[in-house]
Amino acid sequence: MVERHQKQIRLHGFNNLTKTLSFNIYDICYARSPAHREEYLAYIDEEYNADRLTNILTNVADIIGANILNVARQDYDPQGASVTILVSEEPVLSEEKISTSTSARPGPYPEDVVAHLDKSHLTVHTYPESHPDNGISTFRADIDVSTCGRISPLKALNYLIHSLESDIVIMDYRVRGFTRDVKGKKHFIDHKINSIQNFLSPETKRNYSMMDVNVYQENIFHTKMMLKDFDLDNYLFGLGKNDYFEKDLKQIEAQLRKEMKEIYYGRNTGSL
C-alpha cells in the first residue's frame, strides 16, 4: 500500500463532494449464565460510555483535520450513549498540517456517538445484545464518518477498527455529488480508490479475512472483514478456560466462529 500524491484540482469555489465512510463493528463473547450476560452488558455500557466515545470521536476529528466547535453527549438507561460534536472543516492549523490532513491515506492506531462537522458529521450508536439460550453475546457499534470538501474520512479507518476491538467489520464508502474545476468540468471524485482495502494497514490485512463488493461507476465501495484467529480466553466472560472441560471449550469456540461467520456472510447457517 503506497500513497500516491495527486496533482490537486483547481476548483471553482468550494469542494462540494461528500465522502461517507460507514461501519458496522462487532465484538463477540461467550457469557455462560444469565448473571454473566448481565455483567457483560454492564461492562460494555461502561467501556463504551459517552465519555470514552467522545474521546474517540475527538481523536477522529483531529485525525481527519477537523476543528471541534461544540460537544454534546448523553448516556442512556439501561444502556447506550450518544454524543454530538460540531466541527468546522476549515481548521485552525498550520499550513503544513492542512496540507497533510486533506489526503486519503491510512491513519494512526488508537491506544451511541454522533459528531457533526460543519456541513459534515460523525455518528456512532452502540447495540449490545445476548442470545437467550447459548451464551453468545454480541456488541455492535454503528459508525458514520461523513465529510464535505477536502478532508477524508478514510484517514480514521485504522484508528476506529482498533479502538473498538473489532471481530467483524462491515464497511461502506461512498462519494456523492460533484465539484467543478475552474474550466467548468464536473469532478465526481477527487482521489484514486479501487477498494477500501487500499487504506488499511498491513497489520490489519494480516489479521483479517476480507471480501469486497464494489460498484466503481457509482463510486460505491463495500468491504467485509472477519478476524482470522483468536485466543478463546479473551472471549470468555465471567469464567476462564480453566473453568471448562476441554469438550465444552471446543463447543464454545465452534459457537463463536459460527456467530462470526453468520454476521460476516449476513445469513443464518443452521445448528452446529
Side-chain angles (χ1 to χ4, degrees), residues 27 39-56 75 79-81 111-113 126 128 139 141 162-165 237:
D27 176 68
E39 290 172 13
Y40 172 74
L41 293 177
Y43 160 78
I44 286 294
D45 203 42
E46 177 62 28
E47 183 72 8
Y48 298 103
N49 59 27
D51 283 344
R52 182 175 181 229
L53 292 171
T54 299
N55 289 336
I56 289 174
D75 286 302
Q79 62 226 0
E111 275 289 272
D112 235 319
V113 184
T126 60
F139 166 71
H162 292 272
S163 288
L164 297 169
E165 300 176 353
F237 197 88

Side-chain angles (χ1 to χ4, degrees), residues 58-99:
T58 298
N59 290 337
V60 168
D62 184 59
I63 290 166
I64 67 177
N67 183 45
I68 295 175
L69 303 177
N70 187 275
V71 177
R73 57 193 172 202
Q74 180 67 53
D75 286 302
Y76 298 113
D77 185 14
Q79 62 226 0
S82 294
V83 179
T84 299
I85 301 179
L86 178 67
V87 305
S88 168
E89 182 199 345
E90 296 301 329
V92 184
L93 298 173
S94 66
E95 285 301 317
E96 179 183 0
K97 190 164 185 181
I98 290 173
S99 67

Side-chain angles (χ1 to χ4, degrees), residues 3 11 48 56 71-73 79 106 144 153-154 181 244 251 263:
E3 182 187 359
L11 300 179
Y48 298 103
I56 289 174
V71 177
R73 57 193 172 202
Q79 62 226 0
D144 288 293
L154 291 167
D181 66 22
Y244 293 94
Q251 176 70 14
I263 294 170

Side-chain angles (χ1 to χ4, degrees), residues 212-227:
D212 276 358
V213 180
N214 300 320
V215 185
Y216 300 108
Q217 64 270 30
E218 298 295 335
N219 293 322
I220 297 173
F221 306 90
H222 177 77
T223 297
K224 294 182 177 182
M225 300 168 44
M226 179 170 59
L227 196 65

Side-chain angles (χ1 to χ4, degrees), residues 159-175:
Y159 172 80
L160 285 168
I161 289 170
H162 292 272
S163 288
L164 297 169
E165 300 176 353
S166 314
D167 294 317
I168 303 290
V169 184
I170 299 173
M171 300 174 286
D172 295 283
Y173 177 67
R174 182 169 187 180
V175 181

Side-chain angles (χ1 to χ4, degrees), residues 224-239:
K224 294 182 177 182
M225 300 168 44
M226 179 170 59
L227 196 65
K228 292 178 181 177
D229 300 304
F230 59 83
D231 182 350
L232 186 58
D233 222 15
N234 296 330
Y235 289 76
L236 301 174
F237 197 88
L239 296 172

Side-chain angles (χ1 to χ4, degrees), residues 244-254:
Y244 293 94
F245 294 113
E246 189 63 31
K247 66 175 183 178
D248 294 329
L249 292 174
K250 290 181 179 179
Q251 176 70 14
I252 292 168
E253 182 172 350

